[in-house]
Amino acid sequence: ALSATSVDVSDLVSRVARGFLPQSQQLGVALRTEVAPGLPSLLVDTTACEQLLANLVANALQASPRGGEVRVAASRRGNGVELRVDDRGPGVPVADRARVFEPFFTTKPAGSGTGLGLAVVEAVVRAHGGRVEIEDAPGGGASFVVWLPLGR
């Protein structure tokens, strides 16, 4: 069962991004955060949401070419908050978009991923009454868009 605490979105994003700085430097990928000012707090399971965001950032970094950029953005959308993770990688083919959230489905070479990251993302999002979608990122690549409602 998920426990709900009030989470500052800006803190959440910067905490997760900070954790990935060594990896992003090693991969030669810039990691940028853009959090809209004055976002309301989310009533969510902090650990689950950190995991959700961490999975998306890890995937985006792995998909990115050297010299690329991963952008983590948070903004207000209706009665919720939208988290977007954009990368400059190859993108996700439309045919695969419905399947990438299935457990063990992976587009990575054998041995380099469990295929569980996005299944975890979807489970967490669904448990919070939110939704997650994949779009083409501006400038090529994939954009994972997570929407979480503000209140219960």
Side-chain angles (χ1 to χ4, degrees), residues 49-110:
C49 283
E50 276 180 9
Q51 217 182 348
L52 174 164
L53 203 52
N55 280 334
L56 291 179
V57 172
N59 281 350
L61 286 171
Q62 285 168 357
S64 293
R66 260 194 119 59
E69 179 183 81
V70 168
R71 189 178 71 114
V72 184
S75 56
R76 180 79 193 255
R77 280 282 171 280
N79 57 342
V81 169
E82 184 180 272
L83 299 167
R84 295 183 75 101
V85 179
D86 300 337
D87 65 55
R88 301 274 171 81
V92 179
V94 175
D96 288 342
R97 287 182 190 181
R99 295 195 57 208
V100 294
F101 297 107
E102 291 172 14
F104 308 116
F105 178 83
T106 180
T107 53
K108 291 177 197 152

Side-chain angles (χ1 to χ4, degrees), residues 6-92:
S6 183
V7 173
D8 182 297
V9 178
S10 179
D11 283 354
L12 176 75
V13 170
S14 52
R15 230 185 1 256
V16 172
R18 255 201 318 274
F20 279 101
L21 281 177
Q23 195 182 339
S24 78
Q25 284 161 353
Q26 206 180 344
L27 292 167
V29 177
L31 186 55
R32 212 171 81 229
T33 58
E34 278 176 30
V35 178
L39 284 180
S41 291
L42 284 171
L43 195 60
V44 291
D45 183 302
T46 316
T47 312
C49 283
E50 276 180 9
Q51 217 182 348
L52 174 164
L53 203 52
N55 280 334
L56 291 179
V57 172
N59 281 350
L61 286 171
Q62 285 168 357
S64 293
R66 260 194 119 59
E69 179 183 81
V70 168
R71 189 178 71 114
V72 184
S75 56
R76 180 79 193 255
R77 280 282 171 280
N79 57 342
V81 169
E82 184 180 272
L83 299 167
R84 295 183 75 101
V85 179
D86 300 337
D87 65 55
R88 301 274 171 81
V92 179

